[in-house]
């Protein structure tokens, strides 16, 4: 499309990036090919020399994957995008393509388990200093960013406690320290929050979550300025190979067509269920970004257009009570995935965040009674009844 930014997000999600072949197909073409042929040895030489534009090899680029990258970039309002095989490949590539031995990275402590491992365990192996701060405490950011820093990594809302961070204030401090700000925007989706407008330089996604939204494929994406993507990220991804499969890109393009409808419906259900859960006697506490009782609700309302599709809640009675609720649910199924059309529940302390250790979990408030609910597209009243019935197991046991 020639001027994709002229359209609103729901339109971009359906059309942006589409490149039709000479057969004028309606749906995006799926180029399941690992390589490409050249008309001549001279054309191959010119392509590798960069003087002619031609697809070379699907590790470097593929027309179906490029359609997805262009669509994601248009919706995000980013200059460029590169798709990756998974969300973790996106986070890993964004960090490792930029950082060098001797560099320093400051990260908000509240990160998804694998992101936490990259920062705490992988980066120091390569001589990169990694500093964690409590993301909601601006004094800690000020102190950490008083030292020159190459990168800042944060997740907002965070997995699983839905902590919301002050992106403009953090970005200002980060930029003054010389850092590139990377935001993992998975929980907000490209629709509810626009980190690049809030001061971030790079946005990463697990496309596995809402962008697919139907539990089919893994995928990831890194978005940012053209210069950074082409000069910093691209040489790293081209040579290390975390490429997205064209088949997965095709499914993700189809997922994007319904993203606005799905996220809108799931957000409405999540807000309703957060209120329902908060009113239940077995629920000690609920976290939902736009609820009045969320510690950063004003910030959430300023930075996000809705509270998202995740609700986190704590039941009194620790692990035994949380497991009893999970096992009593019939509609919402136990799964560590999220952002699916099917509602999913997980116990973060024993799954997604088991490897960060008990001490770090305690600092993040991930107690044994915490349950993360990813709200899907079922009738919200059926979900409410399922939750109510599952919680009543605790009442019966009490
Ligand atoms: C916030 C966040 N970032 C990154 C990831 C990693 O994505 P993937 O599983 O696609 O590698 C996940 C979930 O797995 C996540 O919840």
């Amino acid at each position: 499309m020639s001027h994709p930014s002229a359209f609103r997000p729901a339109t971009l999600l359906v059309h942006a990036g589409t490149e039709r072949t000479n057969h004028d197909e309606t749906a995006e073409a799926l180029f399941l090919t690992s390589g490409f042929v050249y008309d001549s040895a001279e054309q191959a030489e010119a392509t590798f020399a960069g003087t002619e534009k031609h697809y070379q090899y699907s590790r470097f680029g593929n027309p179906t994957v490029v359609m997805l990258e262009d669509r994601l970039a248009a919706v995000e309002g980013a200059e460029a995008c590169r798709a990756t095989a998974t969300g973790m490949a996106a986070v890993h590539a964004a960090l490792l393509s930029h950082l060098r031995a001797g560099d320093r990275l400051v990260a908000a402590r509240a990160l998804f388990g694998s992101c936490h491992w990259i920062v705490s365990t992988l980066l120091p192996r390569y001589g990169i200093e990694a500093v964690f701060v409590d993301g909601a405490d601006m004094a800690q950011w000020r102190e950490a960013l008083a030292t020159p820093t190459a990168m800042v990594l944060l997740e907002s809302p965070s997995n699983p406690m839905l902590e919301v961070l002050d992106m403009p204030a953090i970005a200002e401090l980060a930029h003054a320290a010389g850092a590139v700000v990377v935001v993992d925007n998975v929980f907000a989706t490209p629709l509810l929050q626009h980190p690049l407008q809030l001061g971030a330089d790079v946005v990463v996604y697990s496309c596995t979550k809402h962008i697919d939204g139907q539990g089919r494929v893994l995928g990831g994406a890194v978005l940012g300025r053209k210069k950074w993507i082409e000069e910093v990220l691209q040489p790293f991804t081209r040579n290390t190979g975390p490429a997205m499969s064209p088949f997965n890109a095709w499914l993700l393009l189809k997922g994007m067509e319904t993203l606005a409808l799905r996220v809108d419906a799931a957000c409405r259900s999540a807000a309703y269920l957060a209120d329902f859960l908060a009113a239940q006697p077995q629920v000690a506490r609920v976290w939902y970004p736009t609820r009045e009782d969320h510690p950063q609700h004003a910030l959430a309302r300023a930075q996000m257009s809705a509270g998202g599709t995740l609700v986190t809640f704590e039941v009194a009675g620790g692990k035994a009570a949380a497991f009893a609720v999970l096992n009593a649910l019939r509609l919402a199924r136990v799964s560590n995935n999220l952002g699916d059309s099917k509602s999913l529940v997980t116990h973060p302390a024993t799954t997604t965040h088991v490897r960060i250790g008990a001490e770090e979990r305690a600092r993040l408030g991930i107690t044994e009674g915490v349950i993360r609910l990813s709200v899907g597209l079922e009738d919200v009243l059926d979900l409410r009844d399922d939750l109510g019935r599952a919680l009543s197991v605790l009442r019966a046991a009490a």
Side-chain angles (χ1 to χ4, degrees):
M1 296 185 79
S2 46
H3 300 291
S5 59
F7 296 105
R8 293 172 181 81
T11 307
L12 295 174
L13 285 163
V14 179
H15 291 289
T18 304
E19 282 286 346
R20 293 202 163 84
T21 72
N22 56 0
H23 296 301
D24 294 327
E25 62 281 353
T26 311
E28 297 74 7
L30 169 52
F31 292 90
L32 264 188
T33 180
S34 45
F36 301 85
V37 295
Y38 306 93
D39 287 338
S40 63
E42 285 77 11
Q43 190 187 32
E45 182 188 34
T47 304
F48 273 78
T51 53
E52 189 166 328
K53 225 173 141 30
H54 189 283
Y55 283 103
Q56 293 157 281
Y57 190 54
S58 286
R59 169 151 52 80
F60 309 162
N62 170 286
T64 309
V65 178
V66 167
M67 283 193 253
L68 174 70
E69 291 170 343
D70 289 351
R71 188 169 295 178
L72 280 165
V75 174
E76 194 69 40
E79 287 178 14
C81 172
R82 287 293 177 277
T84 54
T86 66
M88 284 322 302
V91 173
H92 176 250
L95 301 190
L96 269 291
S97 64
H98 188 86
L99 295 166
R100 305 281 180 276
D103 277 350
R104 170 189 166 88
L105 171 135
V106 178
R109 183 181 304 287
L111 291 179
F112 169 62
S114 294
C115 300
H116 196 280
W117 182 86
I118 288 181
V119 173
S120 65
T121 307
L122 187 67
L123 296 184
R125 280 188 201 163
Y126 297 97
I128 298 156
E129 185 190 355
V131 178
F132 278 118
V133 295
D134 294 337
D137 183 349
M138 286 311 298
Q140 290 192 31
W141 284 108
R142 262 190 294 281
E143 194 189 328
L145 293 171
T147 305
T149 299
M151 262 192 160
V152 159
L153 172 66
L154 62 93
E155 200 178 290
S156 179
S158 67
N159 182 0
M161 302 312 295
L162 308 179
E163 186 175 65
V164 177
L165 306 187
D166 189 341
M167 269 189 243
I170 296 166
E172 198 182 326
L173 291 170
H175 291 151
V180 162
V181 178
V182 182
V183 172
D184 184 335
N185 203 38
V186 165
F187 274 39
T189 82
L191 292 167
L192 305 181
Q193 174 172 269
H194 304 104
L196 298 178
Q197 291 170 20
L198 295 168
D201 303 292
V202 175
V203 180
V204 289
Y205 285 104
S206 164
C207 301
T208 317
K209 309 298 188 273
H210 306 82
I211 291 171
D212 174 28
Q214 287 147 90
R216 303 167 296 190
V217 294
L218 302 175
V222 185
L223 299 109
R225 283 184 203 96
K226 194 170 183 308
K227 188 173 162 56
W228 186 86
I229 295 278
E230 288 180 358
E231 293 176 13
V232 179
L233 184 82
Q234 173 92 355
F236 183 90
T237 52
R238 184 184 162 108
N239 293 301
T240 60
M244 175 182 280
S245 148
F247 180 71
N248 290 4
W250 183 82
L251 276 173
L252 292 165
L253 280 161
K254 293 287 128 198
M256 286 186 83
E257 291 181 351
T258 57
L259 183 69
L261 295 172
R262 289 184 286 104
V263 168
D264 186 49
C267 281
R268 271 187 278 115
S269 296
Y272 173 87
L273 293 173
D275 291 343
F276 169 76
L277 286 165
Q280 305 311 301
Q282 303 91 338
V283 173
R285 192 166 167 195
V286 168
W287 289 262
Y288 188 68
T290 49
R291 266 179 63 86
E292 287 283 333
D293 57 359
H294 187 284
Q296 299 98 27
H297 74 271
L299 199 52
R301 286 182 187 165
Q303 292 185 171
M304 298 171 70
S305 56
T309 68
L310 280 296
V311 182
T312 298
F313 61 102
E314 184 177 33
V315 288
K319 181 177 165 184
F323 274 30
V325 173
L326 260 59
N327 292 337
L329 285 164
R330 288 188 207 142
L331 201 46
R333 298 300 303 271
V334 180
S335 171
N336 45 284
N337 201 10
L338 62 93
D340 201 285
S341 53
K342 295 178 170 63
S343 291
L344 304 171
V345 275
T346 196
H347 182 247
T350 52
T351 60
T352 53
H353 289 71
V354 66
R355 289 200 178 83
I356 67 169
E359 200 179 314
E360 194 70 340
R361 278 198 299 281
R363 295 182 80 142
L364 295 172
I366 307 172
T367 68
E368 298 280 308
V370 162
I371 294 171
R372 187 193 73 192
L373 167 66
S374 170
V375 179
L377 300 178
E378 302 91 344
D379 190 308
V380 69
L381 300 182
D382 289 332
L383 290 172
R384 178 199 65 186
D385 294 348
D386 195 33
L387 286 163
R389 191 173 47 235
L391 286 167
S392 72
V393 172
L394 300 184
R395 192 179 295 141

